[in-house]
Amino acid sequence: MPHSEQFAPPLDTPGAALGGVLRRMRALDAGLPARDGIAVFNRVYLAVTEEVGRRIEAGRFPDARAAITLDVRFAERYLTAVDAAAGDRRPPACWRPLFQLRRHPGVRPLQFALAGINAHIGHDLALAVVDACRSLGCEPADLEDEFDRVGDLLVALEERIREELMPGPDLLQIADPLTHLLGAWSLERARDATWSAARALWALRRLPDLAEEFTDRLDAAVGFAGRMLLTPLPARPE
């Protein structure tokens, strides 16, 4: 079965479904060591999901049901990867580098955070758009506003994460290999590519073999980028 069909059933109670994924992320936050790579990303993603919930309650999303459905389908992709790793099954290729290197002492917290964002935006979000369209009986174009609003929030959060986890600029930061490694990746470019991928997957929905091949190649490409983001680095001098 193509990956894009795994979460097609409609959400009977979208608000309750959003509450459910928030509870799961909070449980992960409480249960994982703070330095664990999944914990680092989970804290970031929990903050995003909570903020989306607040904005929906404040009426910032004109179509609240569509926004919640997209957000829940998006979160399900991440939580399914967590479940796969916990059950000794292989998560999607985009997530494997983070699970494999989550405790590596040479990988810094900012790398963990951005590698998780890379996997979730670069792969999961495209599939979540298709999942949400199947649930809502709509086209990707009908979700573009919700996609853009969530994407804008992620870009703002990414900027804050970079500032908090890698302060600067100073001479040390300029010389730090982390600066050069992360300078090669852009969330905005990843988001643009994801929207194109979602539209392509939707166009291929009646050609399951091609859709699955496209999804597998996307998964592998995003996983390769994640592996680069998680390159172990020498410790920063004190």
Side-chain angles (χ1 to χ4, degrees):
M1 178 183 295
H3 300 294
S4 58
E5 295 186 9
Q6 290 177 351
F7 303 110
L11 299 177
D12 294 329
T13 54
L18 181 58
V21 298
L22 281 168
R23 284 192 295 274
R24 287 209 56 197
M25 281 187 267
R26 287 169 183 149
L28 283 169
D29 185 51
L32 291 173
R35 184 61 176 74
D36 181 282
I38 298 301
V40 173
F41 168 72
N42 189 77
R43 286 194 295 274
V44 171
Y45 191 33
L46 176 57
V48 170
T49 307
E50 288 175 335
E51 181 61 23
V52 169
R54 285 191 289 269
R55 294 188 183 196
I56 289 170
E57 290 180 0
R60 302 279 293 278
F61 287 85
D63 188 340
R65 182 178 179 84
I68 293 172
T69 300
L70 178 59
D71 201 47
V72 169
R73 295 313 191 197
F74 191 27
E76 286 175 337
R77 292 279 169 183
Y78 159 61
L79 293 171
T80 296
V82 170
D83 288 343
D88 292 325
R89 302 186 306 276
R90 283 167 66 85
C94 62
W95 285 105
R96 283 175 213 155
L98 184 54
F99 283 105
Q100 291 165 355
L101 296 170
R102 62 194 291 182
R103 298 181 182 89
H104 196 295
V107 180
R108 301 182 195 170
L110 179 57
Q111 291 175 267
F112 289 135
L114 294 186
I117 293 173
N118 170 70
H120 205 37
I121 297 294
H123 173 266
D124 293 356
L125 184 54
L127 274 63
V129 170
V130 175
D131 294 337
C133 287
R134 292 184 184 278
S135 293
L136 296 166
C138 68
E139 301 281 327
D142 299 320
L143 295 179
E144 189 167 7
D145 285 347
E146 287 73 24
F147 179 94
D148 286 342
R149 289 170 188 268
V150 171
D152 289 344
L153 177 59
L154 285 163
V155 169
L157 185 64
E158 184 211 14
E159 293 172 355
R160 193 179 82 193
I161 291 166
R162 287 179 184 260
E163 291 171 358
E164 290 178 355
L165 296 183
M166 195 173 77
D170 55 28
L171 290 177
L172 177 61
Q173 184 190 357
I174 293 169
D176 194 325
L178 181 59
T179 303
H180 303 285
L181 179 66
L182 300 181
W185 185 82
S186 162
L187 191 151
E188 290 196 60
R189 290 198 299 269
R191 184 180 67 170
D192 290 345
T194 290
W195 183 245
S196 296
R199 293 174 63 206
L201 278 169
W202 186 251
L204 292 172
R205 67 191 183 280
R206 295 187 179 90
L207 299 169
D209 290 344
L210 285 177
E212 186 161 18
E213 181 179 349
F214 182 95
T215 302
D216 288 344
R217 291 181 182 273
L218 176 67
D219 190 19
V222 174
F224 179 78
R227 180 73 64 181
M228 296 302 100
L229 285 169
L230 291 169
T231 300
L233 301 173
R236 295 180 64 172
E238 297 298 331

